[in-house]
Amino acid sequence: MRLGGRLQAAIEVLEDIEAKKRPASDALKDWGSSHRFAGAGDRAVIGNIVYDALRRKLSLGWLMGSDSASSLAYGALLRDGGLPYEDIMAAIANDKFSPVELSDDQLKNWQNNDITKAEDYIQADVPLWCVDKLRGTFGDDWVAQAAALADRPPVDLRVNRLKATRNQLLLALEGTGAASAPFLDDAVRIPPIEALGRHPNVQTGQAFQDGWFEVQDLGSQIAAKLANAKAGEQVLDYCAGAGGKTLSLAAAMENRGQIHAFDAEAARLSPIYDRLQRAGVRNTQGYNKQADLEPLKGQMDLVLTDAPCTGAGTWRRRPDAKWRLTEQQLERREQDQQDVLNSAKHYLKAGGRFVYVTCSIFDSENNRQIEKFLAENSNFSEEKIDLASIAGAEFGDVQPVFLSHGCVFSPKQTMTDGFYVAILKKQA
């Protein structure tokens, strides 16, 4: 496909997403299924345009003076596609599959509008109702923090120390752009896509098949590292999902001790078994029934709760979710978080560590939840988060946002997805 056809396809996908309020991944998959002539390169460019348009839906619409799918797709291509307008027009000329060109008014708007004159929430590219939630976490810096969640993300990998070293993995991934990531000795990063490029599919390679690494954002890796799981401990990964943090904990524990990975939804937990086998993890077992955890009460050295949340910290990767999220959904998640905290606390023994994690940057899902929990549970206290305790980490001036309880990692602050971590301890 030529650029004109790719641009038109992106417009059609954006129209489908808007009309049906559906995930972008589903819309792109359906488009690909019905247009099998499109190659991997075509689908990558179309996906880039769609995701770039969704990340900056408000600011692109404001700059264009229109929030139509066509305006957003053109705006995304102009901003992130690496081509000036004249080159785009030349590339789509005489292509019968090309969309209608921008109007003179749209082009003038794009060239003359100054985004710094737009309202704050438009500059931040977030729904208006989210402003107070973000200000509660980031204060006056909330616009810049939120805007960073509209950038293209890198691909982060965690080296599985049970099977490989970082140098071995970097050699295996030579030619992919992979390099050592900051902060952690086990982290590798492939930089964000540039222009109309695409990330290499590292999960098709032999290193992945052999269990040398897992795809895991650096923020998630840091959160798991801060849990400080030790060899020989009894650990409960509550709300384990597909097991990303479980695998991190297992490697840190050198396959010694025991990890109990629980998720109430069997479908969410099901991928963990293949992942455990591929990674060579032998100290982990899965549960999806609450009753099966009864013998674990009062026995755990560490309980990690990766609580259900809005996922606002992952908007770089799932920008469509930003526009589907509602205040009612947030309220339900806040109740879920309270339920998880009040259930998971019973599995800790005296002196055990309780680590609360979300991939959200909303104050009401994070700081306020821990504030409420501590007020209601006098036998728990908060432990200071000591980044220097992370083996091999040298954060220097790069620090998360420390709150009255816990801290938040973010694209702007730490070059990661948005994550919140708080560490509590159960008193004797």
Side-chain angles (χ1 to χ4, degrees), residues 277-401:
Q277 183 175 8
R278 186 176 61 247
V281 172
R282 301 186 303 274
N283 70 336
T284 299
Q285 55 194 38
Y287 307 78
N288 70 281
K289 295 180 180 178
Q290 192 87 39
D292 291 340
L293 298 181
E294 192 67 22
L296 306 182
K297 286 187 174 180
Q299 304 299 312
M300 297 296 102
D301 297 288
L302 166 66
V303 173
L304 171 67
T305 59
D306 190 354
C309 68
T310 58
T314 66
W315 280 345
R316 295 188 300 176
R317 304 178 194 280
R318 299 176 59 243
D320 48 306
K322 173 165 51 174
W323 311 113
R324 294 196 310 274
L325 184 64
T326 66
E327 292 183 84
Q328 291 72 31
Q329 289 172 328
L330 172 59
E331 290 172 0
R332 287 196 294 271
R333 283 304 183 212
E334 290 168 355
Q335 184 58 57
D336 290 341
Q337 289 150 12
Q338 292 173 27
D339 293 343
V340 164
L341 283 165
N342 288 323
S343 177
K345 68 182 181 182
H346 296 292
Y347 299 99
L348 279 163
K349 68 181 185 181
R353 303 183 308 285
F354 196 14
V355 182
Y356 177 76
V357 178
T358 75
C359 55
S360 176
I361 52 174
F362 289 165
D363 184 55
S364 59
E365 295 188 271
N366 298 327
N367 199 49
R368 296 304 167 216
Q369 293 288 25
I370 297 303
E371 181 178 61
K372 177 178 174 63
F373 180 84
L374 289 173
E376 296 175 350
N377 294 272
S378 59
N379 60 330
F380 281 84
S381 61
E382 185 173 9
E383 289 197 338
K384 178 183 177 182
I385 290 178
D386 181 12
L387 296 176
S389 68
I390 299 179
E394 295 182 1
F395 283 82
D397 292 335
V398 179
Q399 295 285 328
V401 176

Side-chain angles (χ1 to χ4, degrees), residues 3-194:
L3 182 59
R6 291 168 166 177
L7 182 58
Q8 177 59 33
I11 292 170
E12 293 171 5
V13 172
L14 287 167
E15 289 174 339
D16 182 30
I17 293 169
E18 179 62 27
K20 298 178 182 178
K21 308 299 182 186
R22 61 196 307 226
S25 57
D26 290 350
L28 285 163
K29 181 179 179 181
D30 286 352
W31 186 93
S33 296
S34 60
H35 296 79
R36 295 194 178 275
F37 59 84
D42 299 319
R43 293 193 298 273
V45 172
I46 294 164
N48 285 350
I49 296 171
V50 167
Y51 278 96
D52 287 339
L54 292 170
R55 288 185 186 104
R56 304 183 189 281
K57 181 178 178 180
L58 294 184
S59 60
L60 291 176
W62 190 89
L63 288 167
M64 281 288 184
S66 166
D67 62 358
S68 69
S70 176
S71 295
L72 297 178
Y74 267 109
L77 188 57
L78 285 165
R79 188 191 186 284
D80 297 303
L83 295 172
Y85 179 74
E86 294 76 12
D87 290 355
I88 293 173
M89 291 300 100
I92 68 176
N94 303 316
D95 183 350
K96 65 179 181 179
F97 299 107
S98 295
V100 175
E101 295 182 10
L102 290 177
S103 68
D104 290 342
D105 286 344
Q106 286 174 306
L107 183 57
K108 288 178 181 177
N109 285 336
W110 177 262
Q111 293 171 336
N112 298 325
N113 282 345
D114 179 1
I115 192 62
T116 63
K117 292 182 169 55
E119 292 184 71
D120 284 350
Y121 79 97
I122 293 174
Q123 295 182 50
D125 271 300
V126 297
L128 180 59
W129 69 266
C130 294
V131 171
D132 287 343
K133 311 299 181 184
L134 295 167
R135 186 181 281 118
T137 297
F138 298 116
D140 292 341
D141 196 37
W142 74 269
V143 174
Q145 291 280 358
L149 278 164
D151 291 336
R152 291 178 174 182
V155 172
D156 290 338
L157 314 176
R158 181 187 57 80
V159 181
N160 177 18
R161 289 286 178 172
L162 297 175
K163 288 194 170 186
T165 66
R166 182 158 68 178
N167 285 340
Q168 286 177 311
L169 180 59
L170 290 174
L171 186 60
L173 297 180
E174 191 173 9
T176 65
S180 298
F183 313 140
L184 301 181
D185 289 341
D186 295 341
V188 168
R189 169 165 289 177
I190 299 174
I193 297 167
E194 293 184 1

